[in-house]
Amino acid sequence: MTDLVRLERHGDVGVIVIDHPPVNALSIAVREGVIAAVGLLAADPGLVAGVLSCAGRTFVAGADIREFNAPRAGAASTNDVCRALDHCPKPVVAALFGTTLGGGLEVAMACHGRVITPGGVVGLPEVKLGLLPGAGGTQRLPRLAGAAAALEMITSGRHVPAAEALALGVVDEIGTDVLALAVERARAMARSGALPRARDRAVPDFDRAAFETAVQAVQRRARGAQAPVVAAEAVGWALDLAFDDALAREGAAFQSLRAGAQSRALRHLFMAERLAAKSPVAAEPWPVAQTGVVGGGTMGAGIAVALADAGFAVTLVEVSEPAVAAARGRIEAVYTRQVASGRLSGTEQQARLARIGYATELAALAGADLVIEAIIEDLAAKQDVFRALSAVTRRDAILASNTSYLDIDVLADAVDNPERVLGLHFFSPAHVMRLLEIVRPRRVSDAVLATALAVGRRLRKQPVIAGVCDGFIGNRMLAKWRQICDFALEDGALPHEVDAALEGFGMAMGPYAVADMAGLDIGWAMRKRRAPERDPASRYVPIADWLCEAGRFGQKTGLGWYRHEGGKREIDQAVTALVEQASAARGIVRRAVPAARIEARVLAAMVNEGAKILAEGVALRPSDIDVVLVHGYGYPAWRGGPMQAGDEAGLAGILATMREIHAECGVGWEPAALLERMVAEGRDFASLNV
Ligand code: 3HC
């Protein structure tokens, strides 16, 4: 055994205790320890049965993610742990609590019985790390829970609550004192001679056609992600192959995914999310109970809902009674929808609504610990609000702005003690989107910053700290991303071709589809973003002119409408015809732009801007930029974010593309000094992630 695993005696039952904080991850030492403990249990004539349990806050939450980058050859695997349990001649019952995930659930399923606390959850979230369950999970779960449920659980990675796990047959019993229950159950099994193994069971009867349809749905939804597709295939092996053959295939598939770029990227993101949420300052957060929101539009209402959902008391201030009524209507509509879809109970709806009060005077915020301003993006109007808040709130009340672009240092000037002012940039819809940019102006105190991070965590958001600049991290990256796409249009690409290239890269939606949905007309966007520095002679088709046409066309018929009605092909044809017409009138032949060139340029432009953001200290580390883009802007998680994607593509190539772009586009497109330095030193951005 090892320091991390011990064998305790509860009469004639041996209790194996894993004690490896914080989440009892199955590191090599833990795996070796459990195998040794099972050996001792089997050999000890004084013990008739065993229990597998954990110290601390949870049963095993999975294999140790940090060991995946450089696995040690010859070390005991999680499969070896399962094999030891399979071969144990005495029954072993797993005592589950907290989050029994991944390898943790796989080991539990190799035990002969499982009991769980009422609040416990189980799951196989490996697909979220670009993996599949690699220790028999794709084989044992279908035998316990059936093919359809196993497919759903494994390909979604969803956490399954105790009651559902019981109904599915994943666990055998629910009880509060889970250790006592497991000991009792193990002893009873020993007495009756029961030694049931999941591997020996047949998969319960299932509907093959429905299963195939579900597999196809997984393939459709994957949008470039490999893991769910391979995981679905592996569940299929449980239906068609002998256990050991299927296990060998599962193992090979796991190793191949583990060594691939997608899992590398998703593991990077897992660590990045946790690093971004850590406070960079030593100060203790202040307590926050009473909150205020100024402005009850879409953002303000969403923020109020997010606060009420997290248990904060909220006072929402609007300018007039009709505006209050409108805000209340928005908030009630959110909760009504949640109740209608079964996500929220009527009682919980009432409790949350009761936490939100309304007022028409800022004086109602006199007792607030935190106020979030969410009025229109107008500096002067926001300054007025901050000036007024400074007069009515306590001197230690934290004053936050939800601005997406504006200079928060200027807002802080309007307040008597500016160290209490910062940005809390929510994304729409604010009660749904996980990203929260915490914008750190020059004078904000450490305690205020620490409090903002703590509030972010309590809201169950993904906080990321950003410095003050135009657009902070996310919108500044987005601006370059959009601009380089607009250049592709000028080069001859059509909007739907740019969208297709980026969707092929894995983006949730191409930029023009997003613009359609958001109701922008393309012509407007183009006029705003045309780069005056570009040499007019080199500018191919005056697509910009055409785009203005298309914009009017869009206004009349609604590009978004066409897309929604499934008439995408029609609109693409109509747009193509317009371009051809405009080109012909000018005697120019449209040149196609290859998707690979669009992808490469978008990536280079983003990595380059990221490098500038880092050099200016607007982001603390490259992985924070990745977290922002993935959680707020639909960047594919399996690419890990643009900085990780840049590392994966090779920074020398990125720099070369950037030099090309600079030569064509001029001012504003210079290769970042940091990027040049990284390439010269042969380093990657991952080396800056501390
Ligand atoms: N390996 C290594 N470290 C892990 C870990 C893991 N599997 N799971 C969590 N940790 C670490 C986190 O990095 C964090 O470390 P830090 O304090 O130094 O930042 C710490 O544990 C606490 O984690 P969280 O901040 O995430 O704590 P929460 O309480 O919010 O969440 C959790 C706990 C639900 C367990 C969450 O951490 C989680 O989802 N973990 C990943 C679970 C997972 O994906 N398991 C499958 C692994 S792959 C596998 O098992 C392969 C197998 O099939 C062979």
Side-chain angles (χ1 to χ4, degrees), residues 292-328:
V293 176
V294 182
T298 308
M299 284 312 292
I303 293 169
V305 169
L307 289 165
D309 286 352
F312 292 105
V314 190
T315 303
L316 189 147
V317 180
E318 255 298 354
V319 286
S320 64
E321 286 300 341
V324 161
R328 189 198 293 269

Side-chain angles (χ1 to χ4, degrees), residues 587-599:
I588 314 169
V589 183
R590 193 174 69 84
R591 214 172 28 199
V593 183
R597 177 183 148 108
I598 298 172
E599 271 179 28

Side-chain angles (χ1 to χ4, degrees), residues 72-334:
R72 204 171 78 200
S77 68
T78 306
N79 251 327
D80 292 331
V81 177
C82 295
R83 203 166 298 123
L85 288 160
D86 269 340
H87 288 137
C88 182
K90 299 172 185 173
V92 179
V93 175
L96 313 182
F97 65 105
T99 47
T100 299
L101 301 175
L105 180 58
E106 291 178 293
V107 168
M109 288 193 294
C111 291
H112 308 95
R114 286 152 296 280
V115 297
I116 190 168
T117 53
V121 300
V122 302
L124 291 173
E126 282 88 344
V127 289
K128 295 185 177 165
L129 296 170
L131 300 166
L132 51 65
T138 64
Q139 304 308 305
R140 286 190 180 86
L141 189 59
R143 286 171 163 79
L144 292 174
L151 182 72
E152 188 278 328
M153 262 182 77
I154 290 172
T155 56
S156 70
R158 181 170 69 89
H159 289 192
V160 174
E164 189 185 349
L166 180 68
L168 288 173
V170 183
V171 298
D172 307 304
E173 205 176 340
I174 299 180
T176 314
D177 188 350
V178 86
L179 183 59
L181 199 62
V183 168
E184 209 177 293
R185 194 176 182 90
R187 193 173 285 133
M189 286 173 89
R191 222 175 286 133
S192 70
L195 202 59
R197 294 188 183 93
R199 57 165 290 148
D200 297 335
R201 290 169 61 153
V203 176
D205 285 344
F206 66 99
D207 177 342
R208 171 78 62 171
F211 181 80
E212 297 302 340
T213 308
V215 170
Q216 282 159 13
V218 170
Q219 290 164 345
R220 262 198 319 276
R221 276 196 307 267
R223 247 204 266 112
Q226 293 162 350
V229 176
V230 181
E233 211 180 315
V235 175
W237 299 332
L239 314 178
D240 298 322
L241 302 180
F243 183 85
D244 286 317
D245 294 342
L247 199 66
R249 281 214 200 178
E250 180 205 69
F254 175 85
Q255 288 307 338
S256 149
L257 287 172
R258 186 198 55 73
Q262 291 199 1
S263 178
R264 208 160 34 244
L266 285 160
R267 285 175 345 237
H268 154 81
L269 202 59
F270 179 85
M271 293 301 170
E273 288 164 356
R274 277 143 191 87
L275 202 53
K278 288 214 160 77
S279 177
V281 293
E284 281 296 311
W286 294 341
V288 173
Q290 300 290 327
T291 66
V293 176
V294 182
T298 308
M299 284 312 292
I303 293 169
V305 169
L307 289 165
D309 286 352
F312 292 105
V314 190
T315 303
L316 189 147
V317 180
E318 255 298 354
V319 286
S320 64
E321 286 300 341
V324 161
R328 189 198 293 269
R330 281 186 198 100
I331 289 170
E332 287 175 356
V334 169

